[in-house]
Amino acid sequence: MFGMIKNSLFGNTEETEYKLLSTETKDGVRFEVRRYDAAKYAVISSEGRTYDQVTGELVRKLLMYIGGSNEQGEAMGTAAPTIITVYPRNDGVLSRRLVVAIRIPTIYQQSPPTPTDSTIRVEERPGMTVYTLLKGSDSVPFSHDHVDSLQPEDNIAIWRFRR
């Protein structure tokens, strides 16, 4: 836990490079469409508990991993993005299957430290297009005409920033 706090206070925060595809406004909501390259992420998942019950716990475990709770004891700093995915069931209703992933900082991409927590795994994720709400946008539900037709294999993510 100390490593996570020390890493948060004194570690570097890396802003991951992306290609800005467009900046748009829809129904008073401003957002950017960004393209991120493939990268390695530390990933943890849960099934059976609700989003509210488990997200804090999963994010905390990942922050402990990048804060030095790994076999090498390496505090890596932090890197955006952190991605939280809730998977829909076949009927479209959100299930209780949740995956949280945090991008491993660039200097550790070739050889990430080995997690000591067996529930954390390191995986290569493909490049993705991300719709990012800009700070100051209304906190209304995000919708965009062509987002509704996207499939999970399209590697699309929608991020919200809270004020």
Side-chain angles (χ1 to χ4, degrees):
M1 183 66 109
F2 177 71
M4 178 180 77
I5 295 168
K6 179 180 162 194
N7 192 49
S8 296
L9 293 174
F10 304 112
N12 293 329
T13 300
E14 176 181 289
E15 187 64 37
T16 304
E17 290 184 18
Y18 57 87
K19 180 180 179 186
L20 180 62
L21 302 178
S22 66
T23 300
E24 303 178 29
T25 301
K26 174 97 172 155
D27 299 327
V29 178
R30 292 182 30 225
F31 61 94
E32 291 180 345
V33 182
R34 302 173 178 178
R35 182 72 188 168
Y36 286 85
D37 291 334
K40 289 181 181 165
Y41 285 75
V43 179
I44 189 167
S45 60
S46 175
E47 204 157 333
R49 294 189 288 167
T50 66
Y51 179 92
D52 290 336
Q53 290 172 329
V54 76
T55 49
E57 174 188 330
L58 298 180
V59 169
R60 189 170 36 261
K61 285 185 174 193
L62 291 176
L63 290 176
M64 289 179 67
Y65 162 69
I66 65 170
S69 291
N70 51 64
E71 287 186 8
Q72 291 77 7
E74 189 72 34
M76 296 181 264
T78 57
T82 298
I83 301 167
I84 301 174
T85 307
V86 181
Y87 289 89
R89 299 185 316 212
N90 290 338
D91 61 3
V93 175
L94 293 179
S95 70
R96 291 187 175 200
R97 180 173 167 234
L98 182 82
V99 176
V100 180
I102 189 166
R103 187 181 181 282
I104 293 174
T106 302
I107 63 171
Y108 297 97
Q109 281 290 312
Q110 290 295 335
S111 184
T114 306
T116 54
D117 183 332
S118 64
T119 61
I120 296 173
R121 65 190 182 283
V122 174
E123 67 180 35
E124 179 80 26
R125 291 194 153 196
M128 63 183 153
T129 301
V130 176
Y131 290 75
T132 304
L133 291 184
L134 298 174
K135 291 180 181 177
S137 292
D138 294 331
S139 58
V140 296
F142 182 79
S143 66
H144 194 267
D145 295 336
H146 63 279
V147 172
D148 294 333
S149 64
L150 298 171
Q151 300 299 313
E153 59 270 13
D154 290 331
N155 295 315
I156 299 292
I158 299 172
W159 292 351
R160 299 189 74 158
F161 289 103
R162 297 188 181 159
R163 291 184 217 204

